[in-house]
């Protein structure tokens, strides 16, 4: 399971690494099912859950491939890795939604609602 941190207000931040989401070439379906169950249990307790996705090896590999193809501007290389983390977050949003689990994209400065799930790459 991902790393969990809970603050005094009951907000739980879960770090969902890209390597946990897709440890090989495919998404880890049992992991994502467990993640949905744990997340639902926490929100049913009134907790605010924030899922923060990483990029994992796919982000690192796409960055390396871009370098091999001539990308040498470090901010561009960084942005390529960020795009993978954002893809992972949006993929989770779609999967949760298909299972009737409402999520919200997290924007800095948002007022968070009890019992809600927020996702950010």
């Amino acid at each position: 399971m991902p790393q969990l941190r809970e603050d005094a207000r009951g907000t739980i931040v879960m770090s969902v690494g890209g390597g946990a989401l897709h440890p090989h070439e495919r998404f880890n379906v049992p992991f994502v099912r467990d993640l949905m169950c744990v997340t639902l249990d926490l929100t049913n307790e009134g907790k605010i859950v924030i899922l923060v996705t990483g990029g994992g090896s796919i982000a690192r590999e796409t960055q390396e491939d871009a370098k091999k193809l001539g990308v040498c501007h470090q901010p561009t290389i960084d942005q390529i890795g960020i795009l993978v983390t954002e893809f992972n977050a949006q993929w989770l949003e779609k999967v949760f939604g298909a299972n009737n689990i409402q999520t919200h994209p997290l924007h800095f400065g948002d007022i968070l609602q009890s019992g809600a799930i927020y996702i950010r790459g």
Side-chain angles (χ1 to χ4, degrees), residues 3-111:
Q3 285 186 326
L4 303 175
R5 297 188 195 277
E6 182 173 0
D7 71 7
R9 297 168 296 177
T11 300
I12 296 175
V13 178
M14 291 186 186
S15 175
V16 184
L21 281 175
H22 40 75
H24 304 292
E25 295 179 8
R26 310 264 328 217
F27 277 90
N28 185 344
V29 172
F31 172 82
V32 175
R33 280 193 185 120
D34 289 346
L35 180 64
M36 286 191 293
C37 290
V38 167
T39 304
L40 274 178
D41 289 346
L42 292 167
T43 56
N44 287 337
E45 295 173 10
K47 307 280 186 192
I48 298 167
V49 177
I50 301 172
L51 303 175
V52 181
T53 62
S57 63
I58 293 174
R60 292 185 295 278
E61 290 166 2
T62 56
Q63 289 172 317
E64 287 302 315
D65 290 344
K67 290 178 191 176
K68 291 176 187 174
L69 292 167
V71 178
C72 56
H73 185 244
Q74 189 58 48
T76 300
I77 294 166
D78 294 342
Q79 186 62 35
I80 289 168
I82 291 166
L83 288 170
V84 175
T85 68
E86 290 173 349
F87 168 80
N88 287 341
Q90 291 178 19
W91 185 87
L92 274 182
E93 287 177 6
K94 301 300 181 207
V95 170
F96 274 54
N99 286 276
N100 297 315
I101 302 170
Q102 184 178 11
T103 64
H104 310 277
L106 178 65
H107 302 287
F108 296 105
D110 284 352
I111 297 173

